[in-house]
Amino acid sequence: MAASSEERITKLKSLGLSDQKAKETEKNAALSKTIMTALSFVPTDHDFYEGEGLLIYQTCTKIKHQTMHHLEFLMKNILQRKLDSGIRVDAALEFLLANGTTKSINVEDFEKACGVGVMVTPEEIDQVVDAVITRNKGAIIAQRYRFNFGKLLSEIRGQLRWADGKTMKNEVDVQIFDLLGPKTDADFAPSSKSEKKSKGEKVVHQINNNTLYDLHSESASDGAKSISELMKSVHFHAPGDNHKTDGYVVTNKTNTLLIEHLKRTGGFVRTRFPPEPNGILHIGHAKAININFGYANTKNGICFLRYDDTNPEKEEEKFFIGIKDMVEWLGYKPYQITHSSDYFQQLYEWAVLLIKKGLAYVCHQTADEMKGFNPEPSKWRNRPIEENVQLFEDMKIGKINEGAATLRMKLTLEEGKMDPVAYRIKFIPHHRTGSDWCIYPTYDYTHCLCDSIEDITHSLCTKEFQSRRSSYYWLCNALDIYCPVQWEYGRLNVNYTVVSKRKIAKLITEGIVEDWDDPRLFTLTALRRRGFPSEAINNFCAQMGVTAAQSSVDPSALEASVRDMLNVTAPRALVVLEPLKVTISNFPHKEPLKMSVLNFPNNPEKGSHNIWFDRVLYIERSDFEEYPLKGYRRLTPTQSVGLRYAGFVIKVEEVIKNQNGTLKELICVCDSSEATEKPQAFIQWVSQPTEIEVRLYEKLFKHKNPEDVNEVPGGFLNDCNLDSMKIIAAYADASIKNVTPYDKYQFERIGYFSVDPDTREGLVVVKRTVTLKEDAGKIK
């Protein structure tokens, strides 16, 4: 019988997890199942030695699907104390990924790779620490405790891979104390102005002296009011300090490459936004645009717009144009617009170099044979270098059929995928290079190399690319070229929508939405058409923060940001969506009265517009009830209401109906609002109206996650709200007559609206952007 939740939590706590961590882990069904399986291999009378339970937890959190069949073997080695440290566990998992896809394991090779039985004595640690500190003695004495000792520890670890980390750190602390003595007041004081040089000079000096800054956190709290404010709170590495970030791979050429990089760039921040030109950008891309451009702007750096145009099969000119338009609409100007295809020749030459280094090979496995996490290893992996060079050339000149060969790199990705493809054959002309190429590079190969070419300092991407970080560093280092730093942040997801290009295309072909800019979608073109101000989208992204956590938010959060912006930027207008005719029998003027109304009632400096007050006017149908329920506060046969801005109160004199009994018209009398008792409500009205077409939108999907098969078993198409758009003929005041697309208004007591591009001579089309926050009937 399956263990209960309480039993699983108890077992998890036995590993050394806190109560809260155990409960969180138990909720992760996949991880919890793996840990319970691992514990099934532990004898019931076994007592965990100190730290053993956490090694089991580490194993279960990091093991990959394709090596799961070796879980019992790993547990056996942990229980026998062969894998007695986190470093050895990581080495074991790495070995199994590279060599353990079959059932049998060469135990001797496994134990050698994991350092089983290797003992590092305190004397060895003392000697290595002493040697490393001696090499850096001058810089340490000069900078004292301002010196960051992370690189020392990294260098020591490189020489003593299997040493105990705590013992190693303690020895460093002891020797540093012996060298410098206790900290003085000067060690705690801020850096003097004389030490503050230009960013480039400072970094070069410190690299030359092999020093480090403290590692920066990769997250920033949310709640910022603007992107500028948010970007000032994030703590990415300084240009040139690449080697100080977590996980960055340092080689014997890193120091030289970083110094050369700083000379080329002047020590300025350089980022890039690298979209694929095969679809329209969506709300998630807005976050990426703001982070990349926003961070560069805040640091007085530059940001490239780089089209990742390596798949000519799906790329269209309209997508190139649309991407650039949306970047500029959000308020950003690229330092330079580049394309991955700009570098095709260089990328090809580097691929040949990889082959000659024995790090890439031509493979004839089909795409289906390479699918999944545990495919058959390629039998062509170890073919001679000369043969690979010739075959790759044959691929380039079109001698090999499409799908018959690929170029693969000899590495294992963090998710366990082996030998990712670097090049594939496609006999499709490219929009920029024509028929010059019939081999095209993949993302895994192209992205980091283009970042290197453009001297990018911060390769900012969403969390799903974390599994590519190791290959990113591997490829740059394999080619001995400058290696940027990859930082990951959580992706932004919005509920009640889909953003997949394929699924949006399906919605279009099925006639559920009109096109990529249909206001019910969350593409950026759709949000612009719906009337969302770009500043509101940017501020919304700022409020989401830059954290590693993936966020899923309700559309109401974005709409709140939109309201905040439109409240101070959208002029007011009077509109009735369902007009009800009112004739004032005692109209107090001989002719229609032109009235000046403020665009913003609380801000006269923002101007005014004219409206007409006439004998015949129109009110909202919902603002009159012949037989009202208790608490109804608008117009009734016995209850008066005020007319917004007119200075009059109207009372019903007669109710006129059609032959079928439906309401047709009201005959009313009016009195000056100063001469009568103050009414309980004021309502909007229009006279001499302009007829407009109004489009009202609701959520396109009924469930928060229309792609979740548990919530929507029939698929996202079956979750569509077929009544998500309503078109009505409405009446607006005279100020709406001469408008241009994307003009924005607050229709008082109704909501915020934007003029649609469908507007033409003789027809004004508006659509609701968002409703008002206030309750219906409350004047804003």
Side-chain angles (χ1 to χ4, degrees):
M1 184 171 63
S4 66
S5 175
E6 291 76 11
E7 290 171 332
R8 289 193 294 272
I9 290 173
T10 299
K11 289 185 177 182
L12 291 169
K13 289 168 68 175
S14 73
L15 297 177
L17 302 183
S18 66
D19 183 65
Q20 181 179 353
K21 186 65 175 177
K23 290 178 180 177
E24 291 175 358
T25 302
E26 196 274 334
K27 292 179 181 178
N28 185 330
L31 176 57
S32 179
K33 181 180 178 181
T34 300
I35 295 174
M36 294 304 114
T37 302
L39 290 177
S40 70
F41 303 127
V42 179
T44 54
D45 58 348
H46 180 80
D47 291 327
F48 291 123
Y49 61 83
E50 183 180 0
E52 184 180 29
L54 295 180
L55 292 177
I56 294 172
Y57 181 80
Q58 176 184 345
T59 301
C60 294
T61 56
K62 293 187 174 183
I63 192 169
K64 304 300 182 183
H65 172 77
Q66 59 269 40
T67 55
M68 191 67 73
H69 55 288
H70 291 304
L71 183 59
E72 183 176 6
F73 174 76
L74 289 167
M75 289 298 300
K76 177 182 176 182
N77 278 270
I78 291 173
L79 297 177
Q80 292 176 353
R81 302 198 180 191
K82 291 183 177 181
L83 302 179
D84 58 357
S85 68
I87 294 173
R88 286 194 169 95
V89 167
D90 285 343
L93 294 170
E94 184 179 341
F95 177 88
L96 292 178
L97 269 179
N99 305 279
T101 53
T102 59
K103 289 186 177 180
S104 61
I105 298 174
N106 186 313
V107 176
E108 183 179 348
D109 289 346
F110 172 81
E111 293 187 352
K112 183 179 179 181
C114 300
V116 174
V118 177
M119 297 292 294
V120 180
T121 66
E123 290 76 17
E124 290 177 292
I125 294 175
D126 176 76
Q127 291 173 4
V128 173
V129 170
D130 181 67
V132 171
I133 289 179
T134 298
R135 281 198 296 273
N136 293 275
K137 187 174 180 180
I140 295 173
I141 291 175
Q143 299 178 36
R144 291 183 58 78
Y145 288 101
R146 298 184 190 281
F147 186 96
N148 187 300
F149 303 103
K151 188 177 180 183
L152 299 187
L153 290 169
S154 178
E155 187 177 344
I156 295 165
R157 172 63 72 194
Q159 298 182 49
L160 301 173
R161 184 179 182 186
W162 310 115
D164 177 72
K166 182 180 290 187
T167 303
M168 193 169 65
K169 175 67 165 57
N170 289 340
E171 183 61 32
V172 170
D173 289 343
V174 169
Q175 292 202 29
I176 290 296
F177 186 84
D178 288 343
L179 178 64
L180 301 178
K183 287 186 177 181
T184 65
D185 291 341
D187 292 319
F188 292 103
S191 300
S192 64
K193 291 183 179 179
S194 62
E195 294 175 346
K196 296 179 180 178
K197 301 180 181 180
S198 69
K199 193 176 295 183
E201 292 174 340
K202 178 180 178 181
V203 174
V204 171
H205 173 75
Q206 292 194 339
I207 291 175
N208 287 334
N209 286 283
N210 295 317
T211 66
L212 293 167
Y213 289 137
D214 290 331
L215 294 179
H216 297 302
S217 167
E218 65 174 309
S219 63
S221 60
D222 58 8
K225 293 180 181 179
S226 67
I227 288 296
S228 177
E229 180 182 324
L230 174 66
M231 289 300 117
K232 289 176 182 176
S233 71
V234 299
H235 299 291
F236 297 135
H237 70 283
D241 285 353
N242 304 34
H243 55 298
K244 301 172 186 178
T245 57
D246 185 31
Y248 190 81
V249 179
V250 177
T251 71
N252 57 5
K253 294 190 176 182
T254 296
N255 189 60
T256 300
L257 291 169
L258 289 177
I259 293 173
E260 293 172 350
H261 157 75
L262 287 168
K263 288 180 180 178
R264 291 191 299 269
T265 64
F268 288 102
V269 165
R270 295 164 71 95
T271 62
R272 81 289 167 270
F273 174 58
E276 296 175 87
N278 60 5
I280 296 296
L281 302 184
H282 55 71
I283 185 64
H285 290 114
K287 181 177 180 180
I289 291 169
N290 273 286
I291 289 175
N292 279 285
F293 282 92
Y295 185 67
N297 287 354
T298 303
K299 299 298 181 181
N300 295 317
I302 61 175
C303 183
F304 294 79
L305 168 58
R306 184 204 308 146
Y307 294 110
D308 183 26
D309 58 341
T310 59
N311 189 0
E313 188 175 5
K314 297 182 178 180
E315 294 159 3
E316 297 182 39
E317 186 64 23
K318 68 177 182 180
F319 296 136
F320 286 88
I321 296 171
I323 289 170
K324 178 176 178 290
D325 286 348
M326 289 301 98
V327 169
E328 293 178 347
W329 176 61
L330 289 178
Y332 297 109
K333 182 176 178 56
Y335 166 74
Q336 187 177 346
I337 296 176
T338 60
H339 305 73
S340 294
S341 58
D342 295 339
Y343 313 118
F344 274 178
Q345 182 61 37
Q346 178 64 78
L347 296 175
Y348 166 75
E349 291 173 6
W350 276 335
V352 173
L353 180 59
L354 278 181
I355 295 172
K356 291 181 177 179
K357 285 188 168 191
L359 299 176
Y361 64 97
V362 174
C363 176
H364 302 290
Q365 283 184 311
T366 66
D368 286 338
E369 289 171 335
M370 287 188 280
K371 276 183 180 177
F373 284 98
N374 197 20
E376 286 292 322
S378 173
K379 62 183 180 181
W380 295 281
R381 195 174 200 267
N382 297 313
R383 73 192 327 163
I385 288 176
E386 295 76 12
E387 187 178 338
N388 280 317
V389 171
Q390 183 58 56
L391 285 170
F392 190 50
E393 178 66 16
D394 290 345
M395 289 172 59
K396 177 179 178 288
I397 62 179
K399 282 189 175 182
I400 301 178
N401 291 332
E402 207 172 296
T406 59
L407 183 71
R408 298 176 69 179
M409 298 176 283
K410 292 184 179 180
L411 78 147
T412 301
L413 299 177
E414 286 172 310
E415 75 247 23
K417 185 77 173 176
M418 290 188 65
D419 296 357
V421 172
Y423 271 88
R424 69 279 201 215
I425 302 169
K426 286 182 180 290
F427 293 113
I428 301 173
H430 190 274
H431 72 288
R432 298 186 74 244
T433 62
S435 299
D436 292 350
W437 298 90
C438 63
I439 54 172
Y440 294 100
T442 61
Y443 175 90
D444 285 322
Y445 178 78
T446 306
H447 183 65
C448 61
L449 299 185
C450 289
D451 280 354
S452 178
I453 291 170
E454 295 177 352
D455 272 313
I456 300 305
T457 58
H458 299 74
S459 181
L460 308 174
C461 57
T462 48
K463 197 69 176 175
E464 62 262 35
F465 291 101
Q466 184 172 347
S467 62
R468 265 78 172 264
R469 194 200 299 177
S470 60
S471 64
Y472 186 108
Y473 294 159
W474 177 89
L475 190 48
C476 290
N477 290 331
L479 292 167
D480 293 324
I481 60 176
Y482 163 70
C483 182
V485 178
Q486 177 173 307
W487 289 91
E488 304 92 13
Y489 54 87
R491 183 175 179 172
L492 171 61
N493 297 309
V494 177
N495 297 328
Y496 298 101
T497 190
V498 297
V499 294
S500 159
K501 298 162 189 169
R502 179 181 60 83
K503 290 176 180 175
I504 291 177
K506 188 70 174 174
L507 290 170
I508 295 170
T509 57
E510 292 291 325
I512 296 172
V513 298
E514 294 179 357
D515 208 337
W516 293 88
D517 64 348
D518 189 293
R520 290 165 289 182
L521 298 174
F522 279 78
T523 61
L524 293 184
T525 51
L527 296 179
R528 177 176 65 172
R529 185 170 184 180
R530 186 170 158 182
F532 282 32
S534 57
E535 299 93 332
I537 294 175
N538 294 346
N539 293 343
F540 168 72
C541 291
Q543 292 163 18
M544 295 299 102
V546 184
T547 67
Q550 181 167 295
S551 55
S552 293
V553 299
D554 196 87
S556 60
L558 175 56
E559 291 173 358
S561 181
V562 171
R563 287 191 190 93
D564 289 343
M565 181 61 61
L566 292 179
N567 184 48
V568 295
T569 59
R572 278 42 169 175
L574 296 179
V575 175
V576 291
L577 300 184
E578 296 182 81
L580 172 61
K581 183 178 179 181
V582 173
T583 299
I584 301 177
S585 60
N586 65 335
F587 185 68
H589 303 285
K590 294 181 179 180
E591 296 179 352
L593 178 66
K594 182 187 288 188
M595 304 174 61
S596 179
V597 175
L598 293 176
N599 293 331
F600 295 84
N602 297 321
N603 194 344
E605 294 180 356
K606 289 191 173 183
S608 62
H609 61 277
N610 294 322
I611 63 173
W612 290 97
F613 180 47
D614 203 350
R615 180 181 302 275
V616 175
L617 54 84
Y618 298 87
I619 66 171
E620 198 70 65
R621 173 64 187 84
S622 59
D623 283 337
F624 170 76
E625 285 292 341
E626 189 173 7
Y627 306 103
L629 297 175
K630 185 177 180 181
Y632 184 77
R633 300 178 60 185
R634 283 160 281 171
L635 188 61
T636 73
T638 60
Q639 184 171 275
S640 62
V641 295
L643 297 178
R644 179 76 161 149
Y645 301 124
F648 288 94
V649 175
I650 59 172
K651 299 178 182 178
V652 176
E653 192 173 55
E654 180 183 357
V655 177
I656 301 175
K657 297 184 178 181
N658 296 306
Q659 291 183 351
N660 61 5
T662 58
L663 185 61
K664 179 180 180 181
E665 180 183 354
L666 299 177
I667 305 298
C668 295
V669 294
C670 72
D671 290 308
S672 169
S673 57
E674 297 178 357
T676 186
E677 184 179 344
K678 184 177 180 180
Q680 293 190 12
F682 283 79
I683 62 174
Q684 84 272 24
W685 54 275
V686 294
S687 191
Q688 298 191 11
T690 296
E691 185 172 331
I692 62 174
E693 179 181 304
V694 176
R695 300 172 184 175
L696 304 175
Y697 297 100
E698 303 293 343
K699 290 187 179 75
L700 181 59
F701 295 99
K702 302 171 187 175
H703 291 84
K704 278 188 176 182
N705 187 357
E707 298 172 279
D708 188 337
V709 293
N710 295 317
E711 284 190 45
V712 189
F716 74 101
L717 289 178
N718 292 320
D719 195 48
C720 292
N721 174 12
L722 299 181
D723 295 322
S724 55
M725 181 176 74
K726 181 181 179 182
I727 299 177
I728 60 176
Y731 286 169
D733 70 39
S735 66
I736 302 297
K737 190 171 185 179
N738 298 313
V739 293
T740 57
Y742 302 111
D743 284 351
K744 296 168 179 58
Y745 293 91
Q746 183 196 110
F747 292 172
E748 298 202 35
R749 300 179 64 239
I750 300 175
Y752 294 100
F753 289 75
S754 177
V755 180
D756 192 81
D758 285 346
T759 293
R760 56 188 182 275
E761 187 175 353
L763 176 64
V764 174
V765 180
V766 300
K767 57 207 165 307
R768 183 169 61 198
T769 303
V770 290
T771 58
L772 293 176
K773 287 186 291 186
E774 285 72 11
D775 294 333
K778 184 176 179 181
I779 294 174
K780 187 173 178 65

